[in-house]
Amino acid sequence: MGIYKRKGGEVYWLDFSDASGKRVRQSAGTENKREAQELHDRLKVEAWRTAKLGEKQRYSWQQAVVRYLLEQSESKSLESTKGALRYFDAHLAGKYLDEITKNLVDEIRLHKKSTGVKNGTVNRQMTVLRAILNAAKEWDWLDNPPKVKTLPDSSARVRFLTQEEASRLLAELSPRFQVMAKFTLATGLRASNVIHLCWSNVDMQRRIAWVDAHNSKSGKALTIPLNDDAMTVLHGQMGVHETKVFDYGCNQMSTNTFQAAVKRAGLTDFRWHDLRHTWASWHIQNGTPLNVLKELGGWADLTMVLRYAHLSSEHLNSYAGNSKLNGTNSAHNLKLLRAKIG
Protein backbone atom coordinates (compact mmCIF):
# COMPACT_ATOMS: atom_id res chain seq x y z
CA MET A 1 0.00 0.00 0.00
CA GLY A 2 2.97 2.35 0.56
CA ILE A 3 1.69 5.48 2.25
CA TYR A 4 -1.87 6.43 3.09
CA LYS A 5 -4.05 8.47 5.43
CA ARG A 6 -6.51 6.88 7.76
CA LYS A 7 -10.11 7.99 7.49
CA GLY A 8 -10.44 11.32 9.24
CA GLY A 9 -6.72 11.42 9.99
CA GLU A 10 -4.23 14.14 9.08
CA VAL A 11 -0.85 12.39 9.17
CA TYR A 12 0.32 9.76 6.70
CA TRP A 13 0.84 6.12 7.65
CA LEU A 14 3.41 3.70 6.24
CA ASP A 15 2.67 0.15 5.11
CA PHE A 16 5.32 -2.21 3.70
CA SER A 17 6.80 -5.69 4.11
CA ASP A 18 10.41 -6.22 5.14
CA ALA A 19 12.80 -8.78 3.64
CA SER A 20 11.44 -11.54 5.88
CA GLY A 21 7.89 -10.84 4.76
CA LYS A 22 6.88 -9.22 8.03
CA ARG A 23 4.35 -6.44 7.52
CA VAL A 24 5.29 -3.06 8.96
CA ARG A 25 2.65 -0.44 9.72
CA GLN A 26 3.41 2.79 11.50
CA SER A 27 2.70 6.51 11.53
CA ALA A 28 4.95 8.71 9.44
CA GLY A 29 4.42 11.52 11.90
CA THR A 30 3.94 14.07 9.12
CA GLU A 31 1.17 15.55 6.98
CA ASN A 32 3.60 16.13 4.10
CA LYS A 33 3.22 13.45 1.43
CA ARG A 34 6.76 13.85 0.09
CA GLU A 35 8.29 13.48 3.56
CA ALA A 36 6.12 10.44 4.26
CA GLN A 37 7.20 8.80 0.98
CA GLU A 38 10.87 9.46 1.69
CA LEU A 39 10.53 7.95 5.16
CA HIS A 40 8.69 4.93 3.73
CA ASP A 41 11.41 4.27 1.17
CA ARG A 42 14.24 4.75 3.62
CA LEU A 43 12.73 2.49 6.29
CA LYS A 44 12.06 -0.20 3.70
CA VAL A 45 15.70 -0.13 2.58
CA GLU A 46 16.89 -0.18 6.19
CA ALA A 47 14.68 -3.18 6.96
CA TRP A 48 16.14 -5.02 3.98
CA ARG A 49 19.75 -4.25 4.94
CA THR A 50 19.06 -5.36 8.51
CA ALA A 51 17.57 -8.68 7.39
CA LYS A 52 19.99 -9.46 4.54
CA LEU A 53 23.28 -7.90 5.63
CA GLY A 54 22.96 -8.15 9.39
CA GLU A 55 23.33 -4.42 9.91
CA LYS A 56 21.91 -2.93 13.07
CA GLN A 57 18.56 -1.34 12.43
CA ARG A 58 18.46 2.44 12.42
CA TYR A 59 15.44 4.22 13.84
CA SER A 60 14.08 7.58 12.81
CA TRP A 61 13.04 10.56 14.88
CA GLN A 62 9.42 9.98 13.80
CA GLN A 63 9.52 6.39 15.02
CA ALA A 64 10.84 7.53 18.40
CA VAL A 65 8.15 10.21 18.66
CA VAL A 66 5.36 7.75 17.92
CA ARG A 67 6.59 5.25 20.51
CA TYR A 68 7.21 7.93 23.12
CA LEU A 69 3.72 9.39 22.71
CA LEU A 70 2.19 5.94 23.05
CA GLU A 71 4.11 5.36 26.29
CA GLN A 72 3.17 8.81 27.59
CA SER A 73 -0.49 8.63 26.55
CA GLU A 74 -1.65 8.95 30.18
CA SER A 75 0.72 11.79 31.03
CA LYS A 76 -0.89 14.98 32.33
CA SER A 77 1.60 17.04 30.32
CA LEU A 78 0.85 15.25 27.03
CA GLU A 79 -0.50 18.35 25.26
CA SER A 80 2.52 20.48 26.13
CA THR A 81 4.76 17.62 24.98
CA LYS A 82 2.96 17.53 21.63
CA GLY A 83 3.47 21.29 21.32
CA ALA A 84 7.22 20.87 21.78
CA LEU A 85 7.29 18.01 19.27
CA ARG A 86 5.60 20.13 16.62
CA TYR A 87 8.46 22.60 16.97
CA PHE A 88 11.11 19.86 16.74
CA ASP A 89 9.56 18.42 13.59
CA ALA A 90 10.81 21.42 11.59
CA HIS A 91 14.37 20.49 12.58
CA LEU A 92 14.32 16.72 12.96
CA ALA A 93 11.69 15.32 10.59
CA GLY A 94 13.27 12.78 8.26
CA LYS A 95 16.39 12.29 10.39
CA TYR A 96 17.62 9.11 11.99
CA LEU A 97 18.26 9.20 15.70
CA ASP A 98 21.99 8.70 15.17
CA GLU A 99 22.02 11.82 12.97
CA ILE A 100 20.93 13.99 15.89
CA THR A 101 24.29 15.29 17.04
CA LYS A 102 25.26 17.64 19.84
CA ASN A 103 25.84 20.41 17.31
CA LEU A 104 22.34 19.94 15.93
CA VAL A 105 20.85 19.98 19.43
CA ASP A 106 22.75 23.20 20.19
CA GLU A 107 21.47 24.76 16.97
CA ILE A 108 17.88 23.89 17.89
CA ARG A 109 18.29 25.41 21.36
CA LEU A 110 19.79 28.62 19.95
CA HIS A 111 17.07 28.87 17.31
CA LYS A 112 14.35 28.54 19.91
CA LYS A 113 16.01 31.20 22.04
CA SER A 114 16.21 33.52 19.00
CA THR A 115 12.41 33.53 18.76
CA GLY A 116 12.32 35.77 21.83
CA VAL A 117 10.97 33.30 24.39
CA LYS A 118 12.28 33.11 27.93
CA ASN A 119 14.97 30.66 28.98
CA GLY A 120 12.43 28.69 30.98
CA THR A 121 10.37 28.08 27.85
CA VAL A 122 13.44 26.93 25.94
CA ASN A 123 14.38 24.59 28.78
CA ARG A 124 10.94 23.00 28.98
CA GLN A 125 11.05 22.15 25.29
CA MET A 126 14.63 20.89 25.40
CA THR A 127 13.65 18.65 28.30
CA VAL A 128 11.20 16.89 25.97
CA LEU A 129 13.98 16.34 23.42
CA ARG A 130 16.26 14.96 26.13
CA ALA A 131 13.53 12.62 27.38
CA ILE A 132 12.96 11.11 23.94
CA LEU A 133 16.67 10.64 23.22
CA ASN A 134 17.20 9.01 26.62
CA ALA A 135 14.16 6.80 26.06
CA ALA A 136 15.62 5.75 22.69
CA LYS A 137 18.75 4.61 24.50
CA GLU A 138 16.63 2.52 26.88
CA TRP A 139 14.86 0.95 23.88
CA ASP A 140 18.29 0.11 22.42
CA TRP A 141 17.51 2.35 19.47
CA LEU A 142 20.39 4.76 20.11
CA ASP A 143 23.81 3.99 21.57
CA ASN A 144 25.01 7.42 22.68
CA PRO A 145 22.42 10.19 22.87
CA PRO A 146 23.91 13.69 22.67
CA LYS A 147 23.93 15.81 25.79
CA VAL A 148 21.01 18.25 25.85
CA LYS A 149 22.00 21.36 27.77
CA THR A 150 19.58 23.90 29.21
CA LEU A 151 19.91 27.65 29.66
CA PRO A 152 20.27 29.51 32.98
CA ASP A 153 16.78 30.27 34.23
CA SER A 154 16.61 33.22 36.60
CA SER A 155 12.82 33.31 36.34
CA ALA A 156 12.33 30.34 38.66
CA ARG A 157 10.39 31.79 41.56
CA VAL A 158 9.72 30.64 45.09
CA ARG A 159 6.96 32.84 46.48
CA PHE A 160 5.89 31.97 49.99
CA LEU A 161 4.01 33.56 52.85
CA THR A 162 4.96 34.34 56.40
CA GLN A 163 2.69 32.99 59.12
CA GLU A 164 1.16 36.45 59.53
CA GLU A 165 0.53 36.83 55.79
CA ALA A 166 -1.04 33.38 55.63
CA SER A 167 -3.43 34.31 58.44
CA ARG A 168 -4.45 37.47 56.57
CA LEU A 169 -5.10 35.54 53.38
CA LEU A 170 -7.13 32.81 55.08
CA ALA A 171 -9.30 35.47 56.72
CA GLU A 172 -10.20 36.88 53.30
CA LEU A 173 -11.09 33.55 51.68
CA SER A 174 -14.63 32.23 51.51
CA PRO A 175 -15.30 29.25 53.82
CA ARG A 176 -15.02 26.67 51.01
CA PHE A 177 -11.68 27.99 49.75
CA GLN A 178 -10.42 28.61 53.26
CA VAL A 179 -10.58 24.92 54.26
CA MET A 180 -8.94 23.90 50.99
CA ALA A 181 -6.15 26.45 51.52
CA LYS A 182 -5.64 25.27 55.10
CA PHE A 183 -5.39 21.68 53.90
CA THR A 184 -2.86 22.69 51.23
CA LEU A 185 -0.72 24.52 53.78
CA ALA A 186 -0.85 21.42 56.00
CA THR A 187 -0.07 18.83 53.31
CA GLY A 188 1.54 20.60 50.34
CA LEU A 189 -0.81 18.85 47.91
CA ARG A 190 -1.29 20.29 44.44
CA ALA A 191 -4.63 21.93 43.66
CA SER A 192 -5.95 19.08 41.52
CA ASN A 193 -5.16 16.53 44.23
CA VAL A 194 -6.98 18.59 46.84
CA ILE A 195 -10.03 19.13 44.62
CA HIS A 196 -10.35 15.45 43.73
CA LEU A 197 -9.42 13.96 47.12
CA CYS A 198 -11.92 11.21 48.04
CA TRP A 199 -12.73 9.80 51.45
CA SER A 200 -11.67 6.39 50.11
CA ASN A 201 -8.13 7.81 49.96
CA VAL A 202 -8.11 8.94 53.57
CA ASP A 203 -7.39 6.85 56.67
CA MET A 204 -8.33 8.92 59.70
CA GLN A 205 -7.15 6.27 62.16
CA ARG A 206 -3.65 6.06 60.70
CA ARG A 207 -3.62 9.81 59.95
CA ILE A 208 -2.64 9.40 56.32
CA ALA A 209 -4.07 10.18 52.89
CA TRP A 210 -2.78 9.05 49.54
CA VAL A 211 -2.82 10.04 45.89
CA ASP A 212 -3.08 7.20 43.39
CA ALA A 213 -0.36 6.92 40.75
CA HIS A 214 -2.66 7.93 37.87
CA ASN A 215 -3.53 11.17 39.69
CA SER A 216 0.03 12.02 40.70
CA LYS A 217 2.16 14.36 38.60
CA SER A 218 5.18 12.09 39.07
CA GLY A 219 3.19 9.04 38.00
CA LYS A 220 3.88 7.38 41.35
CA ALA A 221 1.53 6.87 44.28
CA LEU A 222 2.03 9.41 47.06
CA THR A 223 1.34 8.89 50.77
CA ILE A 224 0.64 12.03 52.79
CA PRO A 225 1.02 12.06 56.58
CA LEU A 226 -1.68 14.23 58.16
CA ASN A 227 -0.65 16.68 60.86
CA ASP A 228 -3.02 18.21 63.41
CA ASP A 229 -4.04 21.06 61.08
CA ALA A 230 -4.92 18.61 58.30
CA MET A 231 -6.89 16.41 60.69
CA THR A 232 -8.85 19.42 61.95
CA VAL A 233 -9.85 20.27 58.38
CA LEU A 234 -10.90 16.68 57.64
CA HIS A 235 -13.01 16.43 60.79
CA GLY A 236 -14.76 19.62 59.75
CA GLN A 237 -15.47 18.20 56.28
CA MET A 238 -17.04 14.96 57.47
CA GLY A 239 -20.63 14.74 56.29
CA VAL A 240 -20.28 17.47 53.66
CA HIS A 241 -20.15 14.98 50.78
CA GLU A 242 -20.46 11.21 50.63
CA THR A 243 -17.45 10.48 48.44
CA LYS A 244 -15.35 13.64 48.05
CA VAL A 245 -13.62 15.52 50.85
CA PHE A 246 -13.97 18.92 49.17
CA ASP A 247 -17.03 18.93 46.94
CA TYR A 248 -18.53 22.27 46.01
CA GLY A 249 -19.67 21.48 42.49
CA CYS A 250 -16.41 22.75 40.94
CA ASN A 251 -13.46 21.07 39.29
CA GLN A 252 -10.97 23.92 39.52
CA MET A 253 -9.96 26.85 41.65
CA SER A 254 -11.58 30.17 40.76
CA THR A 255 -8.57 32.31 39.88
CA ASN A 256 -10.51 35.59 39.97
CA THR A 257 -12.06 34.82 43.34
CA PHE A 258 -8.71 33.80 44.81
CA GLN A 259 -6.88 36.83 43.42
CA ALA A 260 -9.54 39.12 44.85
CA ALA A 261 -8.85 37.64 48.29
CA VAL A 262 -5.09 38.03 47.73
CA LYS A 263 -5.63 41.70 46.97
CA ARG A 264 -7.86 42.24 50.01
CA ALA A 265 -5.16 40.62 52.17
CA GLY A 266 -2.66 43.19 50.92
CA LEU A 267 -0.55 40.61 49.07
CA THR A 268 0.93 40.71 45.57
CA ASP A 269 2.33 38.20 43.11
CA PHE A 270 0.76 35.19 44.82
CA ARG A 271 -0.96 32.23 43.13
CA TRP A 272 -2.78 29.22 44.54
CA HIS A 273 0.21 26.98 43.73
CA ASP A 274 2.34 29.24 45.95
CA LEU A 275 0.52 27.70 48.91
CA ARG A 276 2.54 24.58 48.09
CA HIS A 277 5.70 26.70 47.95
CA THR A 278 4.74 28.13 51.34
CA TRP A 279 4.28 24.64 52.79
CA ALA A 280 7.70 23.56 51.48
CA SER A 281 9.39 26.76 52.67
CA TRP A 282 7.99 26.42 56.18
CA HIS A 283 9.25 22.83 56.30
CA ILE A 284 12.77 23.87 55.35
CA GLN A 285 12.76 26.81 57.76
CA ASN A 286 11.76 24.46 60.58
CA GLY A 287 14.53 21.97 59.87
CA THR A 288 13.01 19.36 57.57
CA PRO A 289 15.89 17.79 55.54
CA LEU A 290 15.72 18.19 51.77
CA ASN A 291 15.54 14.45 51.14
CA VAL A 292 12.59 14.15 53.53
CA LEU A 293 10.83 17.10 51.90
CA LYS A 294 11.31 15.39 48.54
CA GLU A 295 9.38 12.36 49.79
CA LEU A 296 6.68 14.44 51.46
CA GLY A 297 6.10 16.51 48.35
CA GLY A 298 6.21 13.65 45.87
CA TRP A 299 9.00 15.12 43.73
CA ALA A 300 10.75 12.66 41.44
CA ASP A 301 14.23 13.96 42.35
CA LEU A 302 15.97 16.66 44.37
CA THR A 303 16.18 19.15 41.49
CA MET A 304 12.92 20.91 42.35
CA VAL A 305 13.48 20.65 46.11
CA LEU A 306 16.81 22.47 45.87
CA ARG A 307 14.87 25.67 45.16
CA TYR A 308 14.16 25.85 48.87
CA ALA A 309 17.66 25.00 50.13
CA HIS A 310 18.67 28.65 50.59
CA LEU A 311 15.91 29.13 53.18
CA SER A 312 17.85 27.20 55.82
CA SER A 313 21.54 27.17 56.73
CA GLU A 314 21.34 25.45 60.13
CA HIS A 315 22.82 22.27 58.67
CA LEU A 316 25.97 24.27 57.80
CA ASN A 317 26.52 25.81 61.24
CA SER A 318 28.46 22.85 62.63
CA TYR A 319 30.98 23.24 59.80
CA ALA A 320 31.48 27.00 60.10
CA GLY A 321 34.34 26.58 62.57
CA ASN A 322 36.37 24.41 60.22
CA SER A 323 38.12 27.48 58.84
CA LYS A 324 39.19 28.93 62.21
CA LEU A 325 42.86 29.55 63.03
CA ASN A 326 44.52 26.85 65.11
CA GLY A 327 45.29 27.71 68.72
CA THR A 328 43.43 29.72 71.32
CA ASN A 329 44.97 33.11 70.64
CA SER A 330 43.55 33.94 67.20
CA ALA A 331 44.83 37.51 67.25
CA HIS A 332 48.36 36.35 68.01
CA ASN A 333 48.21 33.69 65.30
CA LEU A 334 46.95 36.21 62.80
CA LYS A 335 49.90 38.50 63.65
CA LEU A 336 52.36 35.63 63.07
CA LEU A 337 50.68 34.76 59.77
CA ARG A 338 50.99 38.33 58.54
CA ALA A 339 54.68 38.37 59.53
CA LYS A 340 55.31 35.21 57.47
CA ILE A 341 53.55 36.67 54.47
CA GLY A 342 55.81 39.60 54.82
Side-chain angles (χ1 to χ4, degrees):
M1 184 177 289
I3 64 172
Y4 65 96
K5 285 187 177 182
R6 289 181 171 180
K7 186 177 181 179
E10 296 182 351
V11 300
Y12 280 93
W13 280 73
L14 314 180
D15 188 343
F16 62 91
S17 296
D18 62 19
S20 64
K22 180 181 177 181
R23 192 173 185 180
V24 178
R25 290 180 181 175
Q26 69 174 65
S27 169
T30 179
E31 300 175 24
N32 186 293
K33 186 175 182 179
R34 179 183 59 79
E35 291 178 354
Q37 187 64 57
E38 289 178 356
L39 179 62
H40 168 275
D41 297 342
R42 188 163 62 178
L43 292 181
K44 191 171 182 179
V45 170
E46 287 294 326
W48 184 88
R49 295 181 67 88
T50 299
K52 297 298 184 180
L53 305 179
E55 294 182 358
K56 183 175 180 179
Q57 183 174 352
R58 299 174 76 195
Y59 294 90
S60 68
W61 167 253
Q62 286 98 327
Q63 286 176 292
V65 167
V66 170
R67 178 168 177 176
Y68 185 79
L69 289 177
L70 286 174
E71 293 186 355
Q72 298 294 317
S73 60
E74 301 298 322
S75 172
K76 294 179 175 61
S77 58
L78 183 61
E79 290 306 314
S80 61
T81 296
K82 289 181 178 179
L85 292 175
R86 282 191 288 271
Y87 170 75
F88 291 133
D89 276 346
H91 301 271
L92 301 176
K95 291 189 177 296
Y96 285 110
L97 291 174
D98 56 19
E99 293 177 327
I100 303 176
T101 63
K102 182 180 180 299
N103 285 340
L104 179 55
V105 170
D106 290 344
E107 288 175 9
I108 294 172
R109 184 179 62 250
L110 291 173
H111 180 271
K112 185 63 181 180
K113 177 60 180 176
S114 70
T115 63
V117 298
K118 294 181 178 179
N119 285 5
T121 301
V122 177
N123 292 344
R124 282 189 290 274
Q125 294 213 337
M126 298 306 292
T127 298
V128 173
L129 176 58
R130 178 194 295 145
I132 293 180
L133 294 176
N134 288 341
K137 182 177 181 179
E138 293 180 4
W139 304 331
D140 199 27
W141 285 13
L142 182 63
D143 292 331
N144 298 300
K147 186 173 183 180
V148 180
K149 294 183 178 180
T150 54
L151 299 173
D153 185 10
S154 60
S155 64
R157 65 193 288 282
V158 177
R159 175 72 166 96
F160 67 94
L161 301 177
T162 65
Q163 292 283 345
E164 189 273 333
E165 288 174 329
S167 296
R168 293 202 327 252
L169 176 60
L170 291 173
E172 296 296 339
L173 292 172
S174 63
R176 69 174 186 174
F177 286 127
Q178 185 183 93
V179 292
M180 296 169 82
K182 285 182 177 179
F183 194 74
T184 302
L185 288 171
T187 63
L189 281 177
R190 295 179 174 88
S192 61
N193 296 140
V194 173
I195 293 172
H196 298 295
L197 182 65
C198 295
W199 288 112
S200 59
N201 286 67
V202 176
D203 189 329
M204 299 286 280
Q205 293 286 60
R206 296 169 58 202
R207 293 172 63 105
I208 62 170
W210 58 91
V211 176
D212 297 324
H214 64 276
N215 290 323
S216 172
K217 185 176 181 180
S218 66
K220 299 179 181 179
L222 173 64
T223 301
I224 308 101
L226 303 171
N227 61 21
D228 290 343
D229 290 340
M231 292 297 293
T232 298
V233 171
L234 291 177
H235 281 296
Q237 290 299 109
M238 296 180 70
V240 173
H241 193 271
E242 183 177 354
T243 59
K244 297 183 70 173
V245 177
F246 304 100
D247 186 87
Y248 301 104
C250 65
N251 289 319
Q252 60 183 5
M253 302 295 179
S254 172
T255 301
N256 292 337
T257 300
F258 181 71
Q259 287 303 318
V262 168
K263 186 176 181 179
R264 290 195 302 271
L267 304 174
T268 58
D269 187 30
F270 193 82
R271 309 166 302 186
W272 184 276
H273 190 71
D274 292 326
L275 293 171
R276 176 172 165 86
H277 290 320
T278 298
W279 164 84
S281 299
W282 288 355
H283 261 287
I284 291 298
Q285 290 171 337
N286 287 303
T288 302
L290 291 174
N291 63 313
V292 174
L293 182 62
K294 168 184 169 294
E295 298 298 324
L296 290 172
W299 285 286
D301 54 55
L302 281 172
T303 303
M304 299 298 288
V305 186
L306 289 174
R307 293 181 297 176
Y308 310 103
H310 67 285
L311 298 174
S312 175
S313 60
E314 282 79 4
H315 63 293
L316 304 177
N317 290 345
S318 61
Y319 301 100
N322 288 355
S323 64
K324 68 181 180 182
L325 293 169
N326 292 326
T328 57
N329 192 336
S330 297
H332 175 68
N333 289 335
L334 181 59
K335 184 176 180 180
L336 292 176
L337 179 61
R338 287 172 173 169
K340 289 181 179 180
I341 295 175

